[in-house]
Each structure stands twice: as structure tokens, then as C-alpha cells.
């Protein structure tokens, strides 16, 4: 049997690195797409050097995507690349739309031209539900995005559905709720808190400035969620799936657990800074992954508490290693 080839856009990101780990265990040849940068930004895939291939292309450049598909000839394309930080989408709404919305059309057009038999995964988001129209949110819940990022993802979701219906492309939309890990970017709230806890514990800071502590999210572990992406592309038919834990927790609960894990009291350190409150907030998200469980046989394995503990422990260990190295 020939070795299956998977192309991952956004391989340098949190999910890209976990998906590459997973696909290697499934026997894939893994090719990662990166955009050109003046210095390499391969921290999350450092451990995979020699096991994966890296090619340059950019979601902003149509020809680069066409040439990449012609060279690599993948069986599966996982589109994880995006401008993914919600607050930046208010600062750079046009660029966010170019990457996160139109970039998907460029990639789908490249697939249509080069090989319409490619199976395509689009990284859709619970941010599309925004001001939620029902609780919990399912594949049938109407969208009401609350940021330029959420709006761009709603476009990307529908263009994925449209290329499936217009051209018969095997295009899936995975509507993933927040998922986190020790590899999460430090600006996202879970990692901001766990890194902040470790900095305070190491004596490098005394306070942590936070935004809206009442916001609620359905947080899962990224390592579990990338497996759902792969399972979607192994089905007989393409479809849309919600991937979530079915539990919701507040940012305050996150702080309570993370500080307690390090033997600290969050009330002694967390300071609310109104400047970090968003112009339009997504107050509460709760996903219903019944369809993913039934059709894909997928299950989340890591609980909220285990996830927070895992992230705090990893950040504490990182600062510990740093202090020993000095
Ligand atoms: P992330 O850590 O921010 O990674 C984003 C990736 O996109 C990075 O590898 C980045 O490359 C790449 N990228 C950005 N612009 C690009 C461009 N113009 N051309 C090529 N590559 C570009 O995001 P993540 O948390 O892994 O999330 C993966 C995907 O899932 C994203 O699409 C995100 O919007 C979506 N999503 C995430 C969550 C979540 O909770 N994590 C939930 C739902 C959906 P550089 O390293 O060069 O910056
Ligand atoms: O915020 C609140 C903030 O930035 C979560 C992305 O991966 O998941 C992510 O988007 C909540 C919000 O993630 C701070 O107001 C309070 O209500 O970790 P976040 P997000 O905006 O939910 C979705 C599914 C994606 O698709 C996105 O790509 O936490 N919050 N205080 C804070 N958030 C941050 N970042 N920093 C704070 O100080």
C-alpha cells in the first residue's frame, strides 16, 4: 500500500504540531506548509525534525498554494493556518479576513484545479456561535459571530460547505470549541494564566492583569481534538461536526484552579484591567458533540481540571529548568 500523504497548513501552531504527532503515528508522510519568515519559528515542531517535511507557501498567495499541491500531491489537506487571536482581529480586521476567510477560498480553488479528489479539513470555530442562539450549541445552531475573527470563520465554514455542494469536494468543517495545551500561545487566556502562575511562583512577577473573569468556555485538550479532525476525513461522506467537552467553566474558575495548583491564592494576584475587556464579548459557550461521538466514535479524554493541572505543571517545570540553567 502506498503511504498516505497529509499536508498541514499552520503546522507551526498549537494544533498543527499535535496533528503532525498524531498523523505520524498513523503512518502518514507529513508535509507542513509554512509562510516565509526572517527567522524560523519551529519551536512546537522541533521534536519532529527529520520526521516531517516543510514547504513554503502562503494563504495570501494563490500561485504558491497551487504549486505546493502540484508538488506534494496530498491525499488529505488540513487547513489549520489562520490569524487566530480574537483581539487582534479588531486591530487588523482586513488582514484577518484575508488569512482566515479568503485564504480558505484560495486553498479550495487550488484543490479544485490540481486534484478535486483531495480530502479537505477546515478548522472552524465555536466563535461562529458568538452571541449564542441556543444552549448547548450543535451543528444546527445558527451563527452570530461577535468579532471580525468570528465573522471570517463563518465565511470560511460556508465556503467549505459550498465547495462540497458545488464541486463535490470532500470538504469537512470541524466546529471546534476552545482547546488548549502546554503548547498554547501565551496570549490565550489558559496559557496566559498558567504562565502567569509560574512567573509569580518563580518570583518574576506579583500580579496578573486579566480581562472579563465571568466569560465561560468549553475547554478541552488539543491532543484529543486533532484526532477528531483525522476521523472526519476517514468517513464515507464529508460533513460538519461540533467537537467539544460538553462542560463550561468561567475564567475565574480557571484562575482558582491554576493558582491553587501552585499553592497560591488567585485573589492575591489577579487584577482586572478594563483595557483587556473586548469590544463585543462572547459570554458563554457550551458545545454538544453528540454527532462526533456517534459518527466518529470520538471522545474527549482530558477533563478541565486535568488540563489546567497539566498546563500549570508544564509552565512551573519550564521556569524551574530556566532557573537551573542560570
Ligand atoms: P495558532 O497556534 O495561532 O496557529 C496558527 C498557524 O497559522 C500558525 O502556524 C501560523 O504560522 C499559521 N499562519 C497564519 N497566517 C498564515 C498565512 N498567511 N500563511 C500560512 N500560515 C499562516 O492556532 P491553533 O490554536 O493551532 O489553531 C489552529 C486553527 O484552528 C486556526 O485556524 C484557529 O483559528 C482554529 N481554531 C482554534 C481553536 C483553539 O481553541 N485552538 C478552536 C477553534 C478553531 P506562523 O507560525 O508563521 O505564525
Ligand atoms: O479567550 C476571556 C476572553 O483568548 C477566552 C481562539 O483559539 O478559541 C480561542 O478564542 C475568554 C474570552 O480565546 C483575558 O474575554 C479574560 O471570553 O483564550 P481566549 P477565545 O477568544 O475564546 C476559539 C474557539 C478560537 O477559534 C480562537 O482561535 O477569556 N479573557 N481575560 C481573556 N482572554 C485573554 N486572551 N486574555 C485575558 O487576559
Amino acid at each position: 500500500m502506498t503511504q498516505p500523504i497529509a499536508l498541514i497548513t499552520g503546522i507551526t501552531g498549537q494544533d498543527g504540531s499535535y496533528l503532525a504527532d498524531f498523523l505520524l503515528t498513523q503512518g502518514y508522510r507529513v508535509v507542513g506548509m509554512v509562510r516565509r519568515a526572517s527567522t524560523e519559528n519551529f519551536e512546537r515542531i522541533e521534536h519532529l525534525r527529520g520526521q516531517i517535511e516543510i514547504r513554503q507557501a502562503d494563504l495570501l498567495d494563490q500561485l504558491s498554494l497551487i504549486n505546493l499541491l502540484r508538488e506534494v500531491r496530498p491525499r488529505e489537506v488540513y487547513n489549520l493556518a489562520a490569524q487566530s487571536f480574537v483581539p487582534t482581529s479588531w486591530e487588523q480586521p482586513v488582514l484577518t479576513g484575508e488569512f482566515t476567510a479568503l485564504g480558505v477560498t484560495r486553498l479550495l480553488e487550488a484543490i479544485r484545479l490540481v486534484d478535486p479528489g483531495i480530502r479537505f479539513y477546515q478548522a472552524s470555530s465555536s466563535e461562529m456561535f458568538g452571541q449564542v442562539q441556543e444552549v448547548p450549541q450543535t451543528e444546527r445552531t445558527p451563527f452570530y459571530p461577535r468579532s471580525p475573527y468570528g465573522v471570517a470563520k463563518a465565511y470560511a465554514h460556508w465556503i467549505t460547505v459550498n465547495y462540497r455542494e458545488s464541486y463535490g469536494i470532500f470538504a469537512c468543517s470541524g466546529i471546534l470549541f476552545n482547546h488548549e495545551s502546554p503548547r498554547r500561545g501565551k496570549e490565550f487566556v489558559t496559557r496566559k494564566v498558567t504562565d502567569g502562575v509560574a512567573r509569580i511562583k518563580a518570583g518574576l512577577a506579583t500580579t496578573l492583569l486579566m480581562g472579563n473573569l465571568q466569560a465561560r468556555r468549553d475547554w478541552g485538550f488539543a491532543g484529543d481534538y486533532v484526532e477528531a479532525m483525522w476521523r472526519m476525513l476517514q468517513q464515507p461522506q464529508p460533513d460538519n461536526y461540533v467537537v467539544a467537552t460538553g462542560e463550561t467553566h468561567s475564567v475565574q474558575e480557571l484562575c482558582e484552579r491554576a493558582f491553587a495548583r501552585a499553592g497560591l491564592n488567585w485573589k492575591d494576584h489577579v487584577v482586572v484591567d478594563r483595557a483587556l475587556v473586548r469590544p463585543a464579548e462572547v459570554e458563554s459557550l457550551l458545545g454538544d458533540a453528540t454527532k462526533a461521538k456517534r459518527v466518529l466514535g470520538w471522545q474527549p479524554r482530558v477533563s478541565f481540571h486535568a488540563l489546567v493541572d497539566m498546563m500549570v505543571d508544564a509552565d512551573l517545570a519550564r521556569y524551574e529548568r530556566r532557573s537551573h540553567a542560570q
Side-chain angles (χ1 to χ4, degrees):
M1 219 180 80
T2 54
Q3 189 183 25
I5 303 173
L7 175 71
I8 304 175
T9 76
I11 195 157
T12 56
Q14 171 189 255
D15 289 9
S17 66
Y18 279 104
L19 181 62
D21 289 343
F22 176 75
L23 292 177
L24 286 171
T25 68
Q26 299 300 309
Y28 280 73
R29 180 180 147 208
V30 175
V31 182
M33 180 186 112
V34 300
R35 53 180 166 167
R36 200 237 155 224
S38 63
T39 53
E40 274 187 0
N41 164 29
F42 292 176
E43 202 182 316
R44 294 185 178 105
I45 48 172
E46 203 54 57
H47 62 291
L48 297 176
R49 261 186 207 271
Q51 297 181 68
I52 59 174
E53 293 163 47
I54 296 296
R55 303 286 173 98
Q56 271 189 16
D58 200 301
L59 286 180
L60 299 183
D61 191 277
Q62 181 76 68
L63 187 61
S64 71
L65 298 172
I66 294 170
N67 284 337
L68 180 66
L69 293 185
R70 282 197 178 130
E71 282 167 29
V72 175
R73 286 288 178 169
R75 178 170 92 182
E76 296 167 13
V77 170
Y78 295 87
N79 182 36
L80 309 185
Q83 190 302 95
S84 75
F85 190 47
V86 171
T88 299
S89 78
W90 279 285
E91 306 294 330
Q92 301 178 8
V94 176
L95 190 66
T96 299
E98 285 287 351
F99 284 4
T100 306
L102 283 180
V104 185
T105 309
R106 292 190 193 96
L107 194 48
L108 284 164
E109 275 294 277
I111 288 173
R112 191 173 71 80
L113 282 170
V114 175
D115 177 4
I118 289 172
R119 294 188 168 210
F120 176 78
Y121 173 84
Q122 169 55 21
S124 293
S125 166
S126 53
E127 280 296 295
M128 302 187 303
F129 297 122
Q131 191 161 296
V132 298
Q133 302 296 294
E134 63 176 347
V135 181
Q137 295 84 54
T138 73
E139 294 79 8
R140 290 176 307 283
T141 304
F143 300 148
Y144 193 139
R146 293 271 281 169
S147 64
Y149 169 81
V151 173
K153 282 288 182 185
Y155 171 94
H157 166 85
W158 283 115
I159 202 72
T160 300
V161 173
N162 183 261
Y163 271 56
R164 183 199 301 160
E165 294 177 355
S166 302
Y167 303 114
I169 290 175
F170 193 109
C172 292
S173 175
I175 307 173
L176 272 52
F177 283 62
N178 300 52
H179 45 279
E180 320 291 315
S181 73
R183 298 184 202 167
R184 186 60 142 151
K186 282 187 195 159
E187 69 272 51
F188 298 95
V189 75
T190 50
R191 187 73 199 291
K192 177 174 171 178
V193 170
T194 63
D195 181 68
V197 163
R199 285 177 60 79
I200 290 168
K201 193 75 183 170
L204 299 171
T206 51
T207 54
L208 182 63
L209 295 181
M210 297 290 301
N212 177 10
L213 298 180
Q214 305 320 315
R216 303 182 72 85
R217 289 291 183 276
D218 179 328
W219 279 295
F221 172 53
D224 289 346
Y225 284 37
V226 296
E227 196 173 323
M229 300 174 184
W230 173 76
R231 286 179 182 238
M232 287 177 212
L233 297 200
Q234 312 314 310
Q235 299 307 307
Q237 299 298 331
D239 210 338
N240 310 323
Y241 297 92
V242 160
V243 177
T245 68
E247 268 186 41
T248 184
H249 297 274
S250 68
V251 174
Q252 183 173 314
E253 285 172 71
L254 163 69
C255 293
E256 285 167 12
R257 180 76 187 189
F259 279 85
R261 179 76 179 173
L264 300 168
N265 185 339
W266 72 281
K267 287 185 181 160
D268 296 337
H269 304 284
V270 170
V271 176
V272 172
D273 177 355
R274 301 296 303 168
L276 292 171
V277 175
R278 299 178 179 185
E281 175 66 292
V282 172
E283 294 293 346
S284 183
L285 290 172
L286 176 62
D288 176 353
T290 302
K291 181 176 168 184
K293 288 177 184 168
R294 179 172 42 83
V295 180
L296 305 177
W298 177 84
Q299 283 282 354
R301 294 193 195 94
V302 179
S303 70
F304 171 71
H305 284 166
L307 174 66
V308 177
D309 292 354
M310 177 204 303
M311 293 176 68
V312 171
D313 292 354
D315 278 321
L316 288 173
R318 205 164 43 83
Y319 281 100
E320 184 94 341
R321 280 197 301 277
R322 198 178 286 182
S323 73
H324 284 306
Q326 280 166 0

